[in-house]
Amino acid sequence: MSAPQFTVTPNRAPASPQRRAEVLADPGFGRYFTDHMVTIRYTEGTGWHDPAVVPYGPFTLDPSAMVLHYGQEIFEGLKAYRQPDGSIASFRPDANAARFAGSARRMAMAELPAELFLASLTELLAVDAEWVPAAGGEDSLYLRPFMIATAIGLGVRPSPEYLYALIASPAGPYFADGVKPMDVWLETEYTRAALGGTGTAKCGGNYAASLLPQAIGAEHGCAQVAYLDAEERTWIDEMGSNNLFFVFRDADGGLELATPDLRGAVLAGITRDSLITVAKDLGIDVVERRISGKEWLDRAADGTLTEAFGCGTAAVITPIGTVKHAGGEVAVGNGEPGPVTMQLREALTAVQRGAAPDPHGWMRTLVPAPAAV
Ligand SMILES: *Cc1c(COP(=O)(O)O)cnc(C)c1O
């Protein structure tokens, strides 16, 4: 396949430099979008066609478009960071491309070739680079690739047509006032995903199903929900948008960094995978194993669980202060972000913002550094 040729239609009414500066001063998360977006169409028989950079704006969809009825929708989330040399790089986008194709396979959707996925990122950044926040901090441009089934008709079958799109949104530091632990609701009634289901695919439907338990957690003052496995309601899976890690200390001071293994219902987070590598680089023992909800509560109570945290692209690492459940609540450690948590967070974010070497070749340049004058 030769390099895809994207057509570029410039936005005739882009945000003014002043407006953009206002947005970048306090972007929050997912509230503002850049001037352009990418669209690529798929038609059965023809394949992927018409890759385009166009002004950001609404789509027109037929009311019978299949996504609106049977939910064929998948997405990704990754970040582009301005580097100290002025270039713009994203973190492991090839891993997002591969996962996007895997999600498509599970949802019987067309697989976007990795080459097109990666090209969509560089093409969008080529026109919207000024939306990437300044280097040095944790600010980034959040990239949201997604795909929907666009064929019309109410017959239940895989759509023969898809729309892939990429939008981008400046993101501020997740913890603007320093890293703060969150409380987590350990959910024992609702589950997130079952073996053989769609838990390993990044599809919108999984998130729709998580909103009710999320609201229940919020009623208990919790920012996120941890789910148990659907079969035995015993083993911790993940948090629905974050994977989980635990720091255990045994009586003789030995330290174990543990994360639930990828048992077929857990979404394989790229942050999770990266942290396993970073921890090994730092000489920390990492174990992928089954961890029960009971072990979490018991060992938090007896003090041998000293730290717990969630991880994902948006916040990188979020420490967990207290775990709450239908039968009570237990603080993890002293309720403050722990040393292993913060060491891992610093190590990974330093690679992402270009402040530390990148021994695993994780950063991929999307926009080169300006030529030296
Ligand atoms: C996206 C996601 C994660 C985190 O994955 P990252 O690649 O680290 O951002 C974890 N769980 C679920 C269900 C997700 O959708």
Side-chain angles (χ1 to χ4, degrees):
M1 191 173 166
S2 60
Q5 288 296 313
F6 283 68
T7 60
V8 179
T9 308
N11 189 332
R12 288 174 186 280
S16 67
Q18 186 199 342
R19 174 65 190 144
R20 199 171 55 230
E22 271 169 34
V23 167
L24 292 181
D26 181 22
F29 181 79
R31 287 193 289 153
Y32 306 104
F33 296 91
T34 64
D35 294 314
H36 298 88
M37 62 183 184
V38 166
T39 59
I40 312 177
R41 299 272 173 181
Y42 177 89
T43 308
E44 206 170 81
T46 308
W48 292 97
H49 57 92
D50 294 323
V53 177
V54 296
Y56 181 94
F59 300 132
T60 301
L61 277 184
D62 191 282
S64 75
M66 287 179 170
V67 64
L68 301 176
H69 304 274
Y70 308 125
Q72 274 184 301
E73 189 273 351
I74 58 172
F75 66 96
E76 272 300 327
L78 67 163
K79 286 176 167 177
Y81 303 86
R82 201 173 287 279
Q83 301 293 295
D85 67 358
S87 67
I88 297 168
S90 69
F91 182 72
R92 303 187 67 184
D94 46 317
N96 295 94
R99 188 169 66 187
F100 195 61
S103 297
R105 212 171 303 133
R106 178 62 185 86
M107 308 303 284
M109 300 170 81
E111 290 176 38
L112 183 75
E115 178 199 29
L116 267 178
F117 182 99
L118 296 170
S120 75
L121 308 179
T122 44
E123 294 284 335
L124 186 64
L125 265 297
V127 293
D128 281 344
E130 285 171 337
W131 286 94
V132 182
E138 282 183 30
D139 294 52
S140 64
L141 184 67
Y142 182 79
L143 301 168
R144 168 53 62 84
F146 63 102
M147 195 199 320
I148 57 174
T150 51
I152 63 175
L154 298 183
V156 179
R157 63 195 165 101
S159 171
E161 290 170 19
Y162 296 96
L163 169 64
Y164 166 81
L166 168 66
I167 56 176
S169 174
Y174 196 86
F175 296 102
D177 308 315
V179 176
K180 293 256 161 45
M182 63 175 168
D183 292 349
V184 166
W185 178 250
L186 181 60
E187 175 60 48
T188 47
E189 181 179 5
Y190 296 102
T191 60
R192 190 192 83 89
L195 288 177
T198 59
T200 56
K202 215 169 168 72
C203 61
N206 288 343
Y207 280 69
S210 75
L211 295 175
L212 175 60
Q214 183 75 29
I216 294 169
E219 281 172 19
H220 293 90
C222 293
Q224 289 203 38
V225 175
Y227 294 95
L228 298 174
D229 74 294
E231 290 72 30
E232 299 178 53
R233 306 287 177 104
T234 298
W235 309 105
I236 297 163
D237 271 354
E238 59 157 303
M239 289 204 293
S241 63
N242 268 233
N243 296 110
L244 280 161
F245 279 85
F246 300 88
V247 180
F248 296 107
R249 276 182 205 272
D250 55 33
D252 56 25
L255 181 148
E256 180 198 48
L257 178 65
T259 187
D261 53 22
L262 298 176
R263 283 180 329 116
V266 174
L267 194 285
I270 295 161
T271 315
R272 175 189 180 279
D273 183 71
S274 306
L275 286 172
I276 289 173
T277 300
V278 166
K280 286 178 183 161
D281 290 351
L282 292 170
I284 299 170
D285 277 334
V286 194
V287 187
E288 295 178 68
R289 65 170 174 88
R290 299 214 288 185
I291 300 160
S292 67
K294 185 172 184 314
E295 179 176 4
W296 185 355
L297 298 173
D298 288 351
R299 296 188 70 179
D302 73 18
T304 58
L305 172 69
T306 55
E307 304 176 40
F309 61 85
C311 69
T313 295
V316 189
I317 283 182
T318 310
I320 297 172
T322 297
V323 52
K324 301 184 180 181
H325 58 106
E329 62 178 80
V330 194
V332 177
N334 61 4
E336 291 298 316
V340 177
T341 304
M342 294 309 284
Q343 185 189 12
L344 289 169
R345 192 172 198 286
E346 175 55 28
L348 185 55
T349 57
V351 173
Q352 294 172 334
R353 61 176 190 270
D358 175 22
H360 304 287
W362 283 339
M363 301 307 290
R364 185 180 175 110
T365 301
L366 300 179
V367 179
V373 282

